[in-house]
Amino acid sequence: MMSRFRFLTAGESHGKGLTVIIDGMPANVPLTEDYIARELGRRQCGYGRGSRMSIEHDRAEILSGVRHGLTIGSPISLLIWNRDWENWKEIMSVSPTEKEIQRVTRPRPGHADLAGVTKYGLEDIRPILERASARETAARVAAGAVARRFVQEFGVEINSHTLAVGGEWAKPPGSIDWQRVEKSPVRCADAEAEKAMMTAIDRVISSKDTVGGVCEIIASGVPMGLGSHVQWDRRLDGRIAQIVMSINSVKGLDIGDGFRLAGLRGSEAHDAIETSEEPPYPWRRTTNHAGGIEGGMSNGEPIVVRVAVKPVPTLGSPLPSVDLSTGEAVQAHFERSDICVVPAVGVIGEAMLAVVLADAMMEKFGGDNLEETRRNYDNYLNSIRRYG
Ligand code: EPS
């Protein structure tokens, strides 16, 4: 399926910087560097990030596609400089270098190292770990900020919160205080669980280990009818799963009640329909087990995506590995890394969900400028009133 809104990233973790090209934004959408910077800042927060985060203060320069604070319909290109480049100029030099550069030859279990170095036929793992690094997610969040700015024009709001870190679970929240989540060092709505999560992180810091967890991403205000049941690659849940599963360290995903639905009866698992006086639809659901998607289409309820994040694979006390240059049994490579990235994955997940929703909205409503998209959107919502 040809995407209506798409992006590509480039850049290595310790290279000069990251770049993004974003294609498919209609003209006249308000967009500023400050707006993107806010999202980049949210990604960098979180208890358990490594010391790299005190070096980087990410900001994306807009190089094209925006004029006088409005998109102009052409591809938007962004550049995020890596401040840490100063310390890696020799190791990551673009030009050939005379200096002897130490190779990385001890693959880390859980990382891209072994399959990557073999597949690309290299003698040094460095090029693999540089691109596999979650540093790339800064570029994704910048792309997601552009998508978010667009869907926001249609009342779509996207948030995330942490449900678990290192086996410590938050109480299932009734309604979520998003301001509290934004202030929480682990992006958790439950104050008691927040403490337990931070203690879990402290514990693994002292044992030179890492932790994973679970976060939840929620998009509200999504219009009914995005995606389609008619073809596999147009199904919205499939599209969300692909992009969210592509986030570094993500190993599992639920939409709505996901795996828990498997153990329920049909009468318990589905969301009854009742009439409603509240706009924009003449119906509403009594529950949201489906997580806002039925038949591969949004159903007007909040879209709920839950994500399992594995523990960071770079360990202070490394697992057994094999040195690729000697064949000897060794400990895996270690270099500076994070202890816990669960809160950051929530923010990255929001960005990726924004991209899917922007794409699906452009697919459904089209338009070369925001006004045209809005006309089509308004006409569609008006057309639904005939059912009420
Ligand atoms: C990462 C290792 C760390 C993280 C990095 C992801 O970087 P460094 O190797 O420079 O210490 O901080 O994440 C970022 C730089 C970022 O901006 O998120 C890894 O190996 O995946």
Side-chain angles (χ1 to χ4, degrees):
M1 195 189 79
M2 167 78 181
S3 297
R4 286 295 314 266
F5 179 92
R6 57 196 171 147
F7 74 97
L8 285 175
T9 73
E12 278 75 43
S13 181
H14 305 102
K16 287 186 188 176
L18 300 161
T19 55
V20 198
I21 294 184
I22 301 155
D23 184 50
M25 269 290 267
N28 285 344
V29 179
L31 186 66
T32 61
E33 289 181 354
D34 283 347
Y35 183 85
I36 300 171
R38 180 179 168 268
E39 295 306 318
L40 291 173
R42 291 175 71 230
R43 189 198 71 97
Q44 290 194 280
C45 295
Y47 196 66
R49 297 304 301 276
S51 55
R52 173 79 182 266
M53 287 308 99
S54 53
I55 302 170
E56 305 294 346
H57 299 284
D58 291 330
R59 190 171 170 90
E61 289 176 26
I62 300 176
L63 302 187
S64 71
V66 179
R67 180 168 180 258
H68 302 160
L70 294 174
T71 59
I72 58 175
S74 60
I76 297 169
S77 48
L78 307 175
L79 169 62
I80 304 168
W81 294 108
N82 284 334
R83 295 197 186 184
D84 205 25
W85 161 246
E86 278 305 315
N87 303 316
W88 293 81
K89 274 182 169 164
E90 287 291 347
I91 293 177
M92 292 304 292
S93 167
V94 171
S95 312
T97 170
E98 298 295 311
K99 272 217 173 145
E100 176 98 31
I101 305 289
Q102 200 177 5
R103 290 186 289 145
V104 179
T105 57
R106 292 170 290 135
R108 294 160 299 172
H111 231 287
D113 299 357
L114 184 57
V117 79
T118 313
K119 175 178 164 62
Y120 285 87
L122 305 175
E123 306 298 321
D124 185 355
I125 294 168
R126 172 66 54 196
I128 305 302
L129 71 85
E130 284 290 330
R131 181 62 184 160
S133 160
R135 176 75 191 140
E136 188 260 351
T137 61
R140 292 190 190 212
V141 168
V146 175
R148 181 196 291 265
R149 188 64 198 82
F150 169 69
V151 299
Q152 230 171 25
E153 288 291 322
F154 300 89
V156 176
E157 293 293 336
I158 309 172
N159 292 289
S160 66
H161 65 118
T162 301
L163 282 174
V165 166
E168 300 292 349
W169 284 82
K171 281 194 296 290
S175 73
I176 300 166
D177 176 353
W178 294 117
Q179 279 178 354
R180 165 168 226 291
V181 170
E182 290 305 310
K183 286 191 203 122
S184 163
V186 283
R187 298 186 51 76
C188 182
D190 172 350
E192 216 169 293
E194 170 187 287
K195 266 195 233 138
M197 290 173 186
M198 290 170 75
T199 307
I201 294 169
D202 289 338
R203 262 199 307 269
V204 288
I205 291 176
S206 46
S207 60
K208 296 191 172 173
D209 216 326
T210 60
V211 273
V214 178
C215 50
E216 186 170 72
I217 308 148
I218 303 173
S220 59
V222 178
M224 178 182 278
L226 300 188
S228 177
H229 63 293
V230 301
Q231 198 59 266
W232 67 270
D233 61 348
R234 291 182 61 193
R235 285 183 174 256
L236 194 64
D237 37 10
R239 289 152 74 176
I240 291 171
Q242 204 261 315
I243 200 164
V244 171
M245 284 295 294
S246 79
I247 299 171
N248 313 47
S249 290
V250 169
K251 277 298 205 185
L253 171 134
D254 268 346
I255 293 188
D257 286 350
F259 275 70
R260 280 159 297 167
L261 288 174
L264 300 181
R265 293 180 179 193
S267 55
E268 301 163 319
H270 299 293
D271 307 306
I273 304 169
E274 63 181 21
T275 54
S276 166
E277 300 294 318
E278 257 173 66
Y281 310 113
W283 331 271
R284 69 168 167 234
R285 301 308 179 100
T286 51
T287 51
N288 188 22
H289 300 299
I293 302 178
E294 290 169 308
M297 290 171 283
S298 55
N299 66 5
E301 296 297 314
I303 292 182
V304 182
V305 182
R306 206 165 296 126
V307 178
V309 183
K310 71 180 181 182
V312 173
T314 304
L315 302 180
S317 182
L319 287 173
S321 183
V322 173
D323 192 314
L324 301 178
S325 61
T326 62
E328 281 168 24
V330 288
Q331 283 197 324
H333 174 70
F334 172 74
E335 65 181 45
R336 182 187 65 186
S337 190
D338 301 307
I339 303 298
C340 173
V341 292
V342 180
V345 171
V347 176
I348 302 157
E350 289 177 31
M352 296 298 90
L353 188 54
V355 167
V356 178
L357 295 178
D359 181 36
M361 286 192 66
M362 284 305 293
E363 176 194 23
K364 172 97 183 94
F365 304 117
D368 291 310
N369 60 59
L370 185 59
E371 297 74 17
E372 191 180 0
T373 311
R374 204 188 298 283
R375 267 198 310 279
N376 298 341
Y377 171 89
D378 289 342
N379 280 341
Y380 170 66
L381 284 193
N382 285 334
S383 76
I384 292 177
R385 301 224 163 91
R386 75 177 186 276
Y387 297 103

